[in-house]
Amino acid sequence: MASEPEENQSADQELNALRETLAARERELAVKDGGDMQGLRTKVRASVALGILGLALYAAHFGSWQTFAEAFAAGILVTGAAALVGILLGFLFGIPRTLVDEGGAPQARTGAAAAGRVDGVVAVYSPNTNLEQISDWLSKILVGVGLTQLNDIPSALVRFSVWLGSGMPQHPEAGKFALGAIAYASVFGFLYGYIWTRVVLSPMFRRADEHLRKAMVRLAIAERSASKAIADAAVAERSATETFERAQVRAEQVLLQAKQRAEQLEDALKRMLDRLYDPPERMGYADAIRIAEEYIAREGEPDNFLFWLRYAAAQGQRAAREPRVYEEAKRCALEAARKVLSQSQEMGRYWLSLLWHPEHPQRTPGEDDLEVFFDEPEFKALIGDEPYIPVK
């Protein structure tokens, strides 16, 4: 079973093949249109040459060069004016129409519908159709007037031929010739104007519509991309702001918790120290041990050598005053002493030696909390046989 990427790749290949086929077909049509236009130009030149030849032959039978020039010039002006009128009428009848949907909105001309949609974006615009409306009105008016005045047309043509003949050299057939020349030039001009409008002007309109629609589609895509980029930037900014605010709140909470823990530790250290200096009969060491164990149960073991030093001192006082729990107190004091040294090797050993060694030179009265363990080998191995004084 083909995977989704393989199916997409196959669809892309088919789409590219279709585009190449359409491009080749367009090139073939362009070559064919070029040949058709070349044939049309040849026929136009031949028709113009034939009309000029007819005028020249008619003017030549007058004999003199002056009369020839007079008749030929008048014929050229009359037939030229008739040809221009015919071209104008052919243009009006041949103007391409903009398709209108049921709601009255102009639609794309032939071949432009596909160009109006790119990546799901439709460029909607309304082309100017004033000229098409004028062409439609004039065409209907001309046809309507011609049908209503159909009975008067023969007499009007006779009067018109007499009027035209008066402007040419005197000849019994001058009016008829002028009327025929006008008919020839006007029909030729109408056909030429109509065919040129349909063959040349219509594709120009279509290409202009396609280019305009593509430009508007690209503009719509650019606007959508810009709007999406702005929205993404706003979302990113909002997310960054929220993340920063959360981080700030979290940092404030962490700082507050750290401050509270520091205050609680400082309070515990002060209370433990106060209880260690209580009179022996008040058993302040028991309160110091309780304060330390409550703090450990609530906050965990602190990384503070003074905390463990005072806890070890409280266990030393307990071992000295309660012989029945000596072993338990020794074990707790030894663990606390190890933690003192792990957290402060230099100062921790100094304070342990000061409270433990009876001959420490810097000891003051009352600082003998660990002397009860002086003969224990574990303490000797941990603290050292000699009093310890750090090197300054």
Side-chain angles (χ1 to χ4, degrees), residues 309 341 346-361 363 367 370-371 374 383-390:
L309 179 67
L341 293 177
E346 191 78 10
M347 294 302 299
R349 186 180 178 188
Y350 166 74
W351 282 105
L352 288 172
S353 179
L354 183 69
L355 299 177
W356 174 75
H357 205 289
E359 297 180 359
H360 198 286
R363 175 188 283 187
E367 295 180 344
L370 297 177
E371 188 175 340
F374 183 72
I383 301 174
D385 293 336
E386 301 296 329
Y388 180 77
I389 299 175

Side-chain angles (χ1 to χ4, degrees), residues 261 264-265 268-269 271-272 288-304 307-312 315 332 335-336 339 343:
R261 294 191 63 181
Q264 293 173 0
L265 178 59
L269 289 173
R271 291 164 58 201
M272 290 172 66
I289 293 172
R290 178 183 56 79
I291 292 170
E293 291 177 349
E294 289 178 352
Y295 181 87
I296 293 172
R298 185 176 64 253
E299 303 292 341
E301 297 183 355
D303 294 332
N304 187 290
F307 178 90
W308 297 109
L309 179 67
R310 291 172 187 177
Y311 181 72
Q315 293 291 347
C332 293
E335 291 179 359
K339 292 180 181 178
Q343 294 173 10

Side-chain angles (χ1 to χ4, degrees), residues 255-294:
L255 290 175
L256 181 60
Q257 293 174 358
K259 182 179 179 181
Q260 292 175 349
R261 294 191 63 181
E263 292 176 350
Q264 293 173 0
L265 178 59
E266 184 178 358
D267 179 68
L269 289 173
K270 183 178 182 300
R271 291 164 58 201
M272 290 172 66
L273 184 62
D274 293 341
R275 298 290 79 78
L276 288 175
Y277 283 96
D278 283 346
E281 62 274 10
R282 295 186 61 178
M283 300 179 65
Y285 63 87
D287 290 336
I289 293 172
R290 178 183 56 79
I291 292 170
E293 291 177 349
E294 289 178 352

Side-chain angles (χ1 to χ4, degrees), residues 1-14:
M1 184 175 180
S3 61
E4 184 175 351
E6 292 177 351
E7 293 178 355
N8 293 337
Q9 184 177 5
S10 177
D12 292 339
Q13 292 176 353
E14 294 178 359

Side-chain angles (χ1 to χ4, degrees), residues 41-313:
R41 294 190 187 96
T42 301
K43 292 180 176 63
V44 168
R45 295 190 186 99
S47 300
V48 172
L50 182 61
I52 294 174
L53 178 61
L55 288 175
L57 293 175
Y58 173 76
H61 86 283
F62 286 104
S64 67
W65 281 104
Q66 180 179 359
T67 308
F68 170 82
E70 189 177 321
F72 188 77
I76 287 293
L77 290 176
V78 170
T79 55
L84 290 178
V85 172
I87 290 173
L88 177 61
L89 292 176
F91 172 76
L92 292 177
F93 278 89
I95 289 179
R97 299 290 186 266
T98 299
L99 300 180
V100 180
D101 61 14
E102 295 179 356
Q107 296 178 348
R109 292 183 173 86
T110 304
R117 181 179 294 272
V118 177
D119 295 336
V121 179
V122 179
V124 179
Y125 77 102
S126 177
N128 190 329
T129 60
N130 293 341
L131 185 60
E132 298 176 9
Q133 296 175 5
I134 294 173
S135 169
D136 188 48
W137 296 337
L138 289 177
S139 301
K140 293 176 180 178
I141 290 172
L142 291 175
V143 173
V145 171
L147 292 176
T148 57
Q149 303 297 325
L150 190 61
N151 294 329
D152 298 332
I153 289 178
S155 60
L157 289 176
V158 171
R159 291 194 301 271
F160 185 59
S161 64
V162 172
W163 177 77
L164 288 176
S166 64
M168 300 185 70
Q170 295 298 323
H171 190 274
E173 306 297 330
K176 297 178 182 180
F177 177 81
L179 187 61
I182 289 176
Y184 176 87
S186 59
V187 171
F188 163 74
F190 177 84
L191 292 176
Y192 177 77
Y194 182 83
I195 294 173
W196 181 84
T197 303
R198 298 294 295 171
V199 175
V200 178
L201 193 61
S202 294
M204 291 174 62
F205 281 171
R206 184 173 63 251
R207 287 193 296 270
D209 286 345
E210 291 175 355
H211 291 324
L212 179 60
R213 182 170 282 104
K214 289 179 181 179
M216 297 188 70
V217 167
R218 287 193 291 268
L219 178 60
I221 293 175
E223 290 178 352
R224 187 181 67 176
S225 301
S227 300
K228 186 176 183 300
I230 293 174
D232 293 342
V235 172
E237 182 181 4
R238 183 167 59 252
S239 177
T241 302
E242 292 175 354
T243 303
F244 174 77
E245 291 176 352
R246 288 196 298 267
Q248 188 176 18
V249 171
R250 179 58 181 166
E252 292 176 353
Q253 293 175 349
V254 171
L255 290 175
L256 181 60
Q257 293 174 358
K259 182 179 179 181
Q260 292 175 349
R261 294 191 63 181
E263 292 176 350
Q264 293 173 0
L265 178 59
E266 184 178 358
D267 179 68
L269 289 173
K270 183 178 182 300
R271 291 164 58 201
M272 290 172 66
L273 184 62
D274 293 341
R275 298 290 79 78
L276 288 175
Y277 283 96
D278 283 346
E281 62 274 10
R282 295 186 61 178
M283 300 179 65
Y285 63 87
D287 290 336
I289 293 172
R290 178 183 56 79
I291 292 170
E293 291 177 349
E294 289 178 352
Y295 181 87
I296 293 172
R298 185 176 64 253
E299 303 292 341
E301 297 183 355
D303 294 332
N304 187 290
F305 85 96
L306 289 177
F307 178 90
W308 297 109
L309 179 67
R310 291 172 187 177
Y311 181 72

